[in-house]
């Protein structure tokens, strides 16, 4: 049998990117490792971004370097401060206590400045400096420097202003294996291009009427080198720079040059950027920038079963009301997982287990849940909760008597201590823990059968009370054996089942939400041509239970505190919808571990 995989946060990681970093340090090509995590603030981060965060910050942590959080905010039409704030909060949460000392922030409104022929970002400080007034890096703070780079390309004859519209540029670029068609304005002179670009900058031309394009090779097999667009006109205010600009650089132009400005040594991207690397390198070389230059490396993106990772599709789920927002606990967003009670350490453990590779694959959602479950088992406080309550009346228990039982908070952690749980004549148990006519091999409560109440007494069912209209059992009558206090019989008789319970007189009423995968299909994107991915939505992804009965200790549960409802699953108080006197609990993950069972079978 194979040994279970253990968390590896304290181990030194090994993968092909880290081997490159080690070689660069050993050869003196790199003095201090500086990586970056550069999301575009046009949506919320998801579990795929968590892999990239863990890789980039993990490398900085392992090699005593720095990782910059940078907003690649070059498209004001789709970006917003809301997204910036959520990204910053997600990153801080995910790396807190693990690699936050590696987080590179900058003084507010720091700019890239020219120094001779070089550009650099002055006075960068780490987020570990408590005195610093810091914020994330932003590509928009480099707009002056990027504009100067563009002017330099024009002066060197390596860029020109093109009057073709976007559809014409795309058509004329062609496809691999065939020659692209040059722009009619490709041979404009330097003076004319400088004049037109300055007029673009001043706002003289309407949106889409002109672009700045690199002059590279319209016959290249890599279509990204066929005179790519570097700047476009967009009369749209920017959430950071306001109305200061009406031309904006494209991502491929801003990305590598922002890396250069920040002194990034290893620019780590996912595989879809492999074709873009040639342009990344061309721009740095064409500008003849002082060395050292950053280098781009690619790894396989994360794909997880039963979910989608496309921001466009996630945005559609939100905008069309299929989920309750970006932080809906069914969403693969980091904010949704945090709200649902996923521990940050479990996401980092998940990223470690799947590793870093050059070839894409799809990871089972069960593995992520396994990592969450392992962490929660060590840290979650144990509590008793009855989600679908059925009343039990212990007829021979004194009506005015109340007892307390001392129960451990976590058997995995003796330091978690104990709590007092109240016991009285009337209790709540789960409906599934009773059958009037038990099926074969059913060992829980039924007429004439004795069971153990968790940590309390043995009880035996004597009769039932039914609803005269429906015939359903609405109350169970039972007797208890006072000699079995604590859950053990003095005559060593055995029972085959232990069930949990809540004292009716002391119970807290709450709403509980149970979650299943958002999509029924393992691969929601694998659809016939023309099929809408929304057809794969799981109609049973959310079940809302009201009238649940919970032990008194859960009345003031702190949102974010991990809880195990014994025999039920792991839960957390909802930080958004819980209110005083009306708590709402979210199921983080079930107790059953499909991944562990699969590993055991394979072993």
């Amino acid at each position: 049998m194979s040994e279970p995989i253990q968390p590896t946060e304290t181990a030194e990681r090994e993968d092909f990117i880290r081997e490159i970093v080690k070689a660069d340090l050993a050869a003196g090509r790199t003095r201090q490792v500086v990586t970056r995590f550069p999301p575009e603030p046009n949506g919320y981060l998801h579990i795929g971004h968590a892999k990239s965060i863990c890789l980039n910050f993990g490398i900085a942590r392992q090699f005593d370097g720095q990782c910059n959080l940078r907003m690649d905010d070059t498209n004001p039409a789709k970006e917003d401060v809301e997204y910036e704030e959520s990204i910053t909060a997600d990153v801080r949460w995910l790396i807190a206590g693990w690699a936050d000392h590696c987080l590179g922030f900058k003084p507010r409104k720091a700019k890239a400045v020219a120094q001779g022929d070089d550009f650099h970002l002055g006075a960068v400080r780490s987020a570990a400096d408590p005195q610093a007034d810091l914020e994330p890096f932003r590509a928009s703070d480099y707009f002056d420097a990027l504009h100067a780079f563009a002017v330099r390309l024009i002066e060197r004859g390596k860029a020109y202003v093109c009057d073709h519209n976007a559809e014409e540029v795309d058509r004329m670029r062609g496809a691999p294996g065939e020659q692209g068609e040059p722009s009619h304005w490709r041979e404009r002179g330097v003076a004319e291009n400088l004049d037109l670009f300055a007029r673009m900058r001043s706002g003289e031309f309407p949106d889409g009427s002109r672009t700045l394009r690199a002059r590279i090779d319209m016959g290249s097999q890599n279509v990204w080198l066929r005179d790519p667009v570097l700047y476009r006109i967009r009369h749209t205010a920017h959430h950071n720079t306001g109305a200061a600009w009406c031309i904006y650089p494209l991502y491929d132009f801003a990305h590598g040059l922002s890396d250069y400005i920040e002194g990034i040594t290893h620019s780590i991207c996912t595989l879809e950027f492999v074709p873009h690397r040639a342009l990344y390198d061309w721009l740095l070389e064409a500008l003849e920038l002082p060395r050292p230059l950053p280098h781009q490396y690619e790894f396989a993106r994360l794909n997880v079963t039963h979910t989608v990772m496309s921001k466009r599709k996630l945005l559609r789920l939100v905008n069309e009301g299929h989920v309750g927002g970006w932080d809906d606990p069914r969403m693969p967003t980091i904010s949704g997982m945090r709200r649902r009670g996923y521990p940050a350490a479990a996401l980092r453990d998940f990223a470690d287990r799947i590793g870093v590779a050059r070839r894409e694959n799809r990871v089972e959602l069960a593995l992520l849940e396994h990592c969450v479950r392992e962490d929660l088992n060590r840290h979650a406080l144990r509590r008793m909760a009855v989600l679908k309550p059925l009343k039990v009346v212990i007829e021979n228990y004194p009506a005015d008597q109340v007892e307390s039982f001392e129960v451990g908070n976590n058997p995995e952690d003796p330091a978690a201590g104990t709590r007092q749980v109240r016991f009285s004549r009337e209790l709540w148990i789960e409906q599934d823990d009773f059958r009037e006519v038990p099926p074969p091999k059913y060992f829980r409560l039924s007429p004439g059968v004795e069971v153990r109440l968790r940590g309390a007494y043995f009880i035996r069912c004597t009769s039932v009370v039914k609803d005269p209209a429906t015939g359903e059992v609405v109350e169970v009558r039972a007797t208890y054996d006072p000699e079995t206090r604590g859950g053990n019989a003095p005559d060593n008789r055995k029972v085959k089942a232990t069930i949990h319970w809540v004292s009716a007189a002391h119970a807290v009423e709450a709403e509980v939400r149970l979650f299943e995968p958002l999509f029924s299909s393992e691969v929601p994107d694998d659809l016939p041509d023309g099929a809408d991915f929304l057809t794969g939505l799981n109609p049973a992804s959310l079940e809302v239970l009201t009238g649940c009965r919970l032990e008194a200790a859960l009345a003031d549960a702190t949102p974010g505190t991990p809880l195990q409802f014994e025999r039920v699953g792991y839960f957390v108080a909802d930080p958004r919808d819980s209110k005083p006197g009306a708590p709402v609990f979210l199921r983080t993950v079930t107790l059953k571990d499909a991944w562990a069972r699969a590993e055991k079978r394979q072993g």
Side-chain angles (χ1 to χ4, degrees), residues 76-77 79 234-245 248:
E79 296 159 355
R234 182 160 290 172
H235 291 269
T236 302
H238 191 284
H239 65 274
N240 182 39
T241 60
W245 294 87
Y248 293 96

Side-chain angles (χ1 to χ4, degrees), residues 87-230:
I87 288 168
T88 303
D90 285 345
V91 171
R92 282 191 175 278
W93 172 78
L94 187 57
I95 68 172
W98 176 67
D100 44 8
H101 61 287
C102 304
L103 176 57
F105 271 20
K106 65 176 181 60
R108 291 190 180 278
K109 303 305 178 187
K111 302 288 185 180
V113 297
Q115 190 175 60
D117 288 333
D118 195 6
F119 291 84
H120 71 283
L121 189 67
V124 176
R125 289 179 285 181
S126 168
D129 182 354
Q131 304 302 318
D133 184 19
L134 301 172
E135 63 180 356
F137 293 87
R138 294 186 181 89
S140 58
D141 281 336
Y142 313 148
F143 278 174
D144 287 325
L146 295 173
H147 178 265
F149 282 136
V151 169
R152 182 184 296 187
L153 288 175
I154 295 172
E155 292 171 342
R156 297 185 176 194
K158 297 181 182 294
Y160 62 95
V161 173
C162 176
D163 295 0
H164 288 297
N165 61 37
E167 291 76 14
E168 291 170 335
V169 169
D170 187 61
R171 176 185 59 79
M172 295 168 68
R173 186 171 57 180
E178 60 185 45
Q179 181 74 27
E181 179 184 343
S183 166
H184 298 169
W185 292 276
R186 195 172 194 266
E187 301 308 320
R188 272 177 167 153
V190 169
E192 184 181 3
N193 283 317
L194 287 171
D195 175 66
L196 289 171
F197 190 55
R199 291 161 67 189
M200 287 172 59
R201 168 72 178 90
S202 68
E204 184 173 329
F205 308 120
D207 289 1
S209 60
R210 286 187 162 94
T211 58
L212 181 70
R213 298 176 63 182
R215 184 185 282 112
I216 307 179
D217 181 4
M218 290 302 296
S220 174
Q221 286 300 302
N222 184 343
V223 296
W224 292 101
L225 294 180
R226 294 184 180 181
D227 290 13
V229 174
L230 306 181

Side-chain angles (χ1 to χ4, degrees), residues 463-474:
S463 63
V464 298
V465 177
K466 296 184 179 182
D467 183 328
T470 65
E472 294 181 356
V473 175
V474 294

Side-chain angles (χ1 to χ4, degrees), residues 279-485:
L279 178 57
Y280 183 102
D281 292 339
W282 182 88
L283 285 166
L284 295 171
E285 294 293 339
L287 289 164
E288 298 181 10
L289 298 170
R291 273 43 177 177
L293 302 178
H295 294 277
Q296 177 178 305
Y297 305 93
E298 304 88 14
F299 69 100
R301 65 184 299 175
L302 174 61
N303 298 296
V304 180
T305 60
H306 298 287
T307 192
V308 295
M309 297 293 190
S310 162
K311 279 187 181 179
R312 176 180 57 82
K313 292 178 178 178
L314 295 177
L315 182 62
R316 189 174 166 198
L317 288 172
V318 173
N319 288 345
E320 295 183 9
H322 301 288
V323 294
W326 285 99
D327 67 343
D328 188 300
R330 296 167 292 173
M331 289 279 275
T333 55
I334 295 178
S335 59
M337 292 179 175
R338 184 168 75 249
R339 179 183 172 194
R340 186 170 171 170
Y342 279 29
L347 298 190
R348 299 194 298 263
D349 181 28
F350 174 67
D352 273 352
R353 292 180 190 235
I354 61 179
V356 180
R358 289 186 172 93
R359 186 168 61 182
E360 288 193 2
N361 62 351
R362 192 171 296 274
V363 180
E364 291 185 36
L365 177 62
L367 175 57
L368 173 59
E369 292 178 341
H370 171 75
C371 295
V372 171
R373 196 176 286 110
E374 277 205 340
D375 186 273
L376 292 177
N377 184 51
R378 294 191 297 270
H379 301 113
L381 299 174
R382 272 47 169 180
R383 298 289 185 261
M384 288 196 286
V386 176
L387 304 191
K388 297 180 180 180
L390 173 65
K391 181 168 282 190
V392 174
V393 177
I394 306 174
E395 295 179 298
N396 64 332
Y397 193 90
D400 58 352
Q401 182 172 306
V402 175
E403 292 182 76
S404 293
F405 291 92
E406 188 174 21
V407 181
N409 285 325
N410 188 332
E412 303 293 324
D413 180 15
T418 60
R419 70 192 188 283
Q420 296 294 317
V421 178
R422 299 289 186 89
F423 184 90
S424 60
R425 185 172 188 266
E426 295 187 357
L427 309 173
W428 296 107
I429 68 169
E430 290 285 354
Q431 293 177 12
D432 287 344
D433 284 338
F434 176 80
R435 290 289 184 273
E436 184 181 14
V437 181
K441 298 184 179 181
Y442 182 86
F443 301 118
R444 284 168 277 175
L445 193 62
S446 59
V449 172
E450 191 173 49
V451 299
R452 177 189 290 108
L453 295 178
R454 163 90 167 91
Y457 292 106
F458 287 10
I459 64 169
R460 185 184 301 273
C461 173
T462 57
S463 63
V464 298
V465 177
K466 296 184 179 182
D467 183 328
T470 65
E472 294 181 356
V473 175
V474 294
E475 188 176 289
V476 173
R477 298 298 177 92
T479 59
Y480 87 114
D481 182 350
E483 299 299 320
T484 59
R485 178 180 168 84

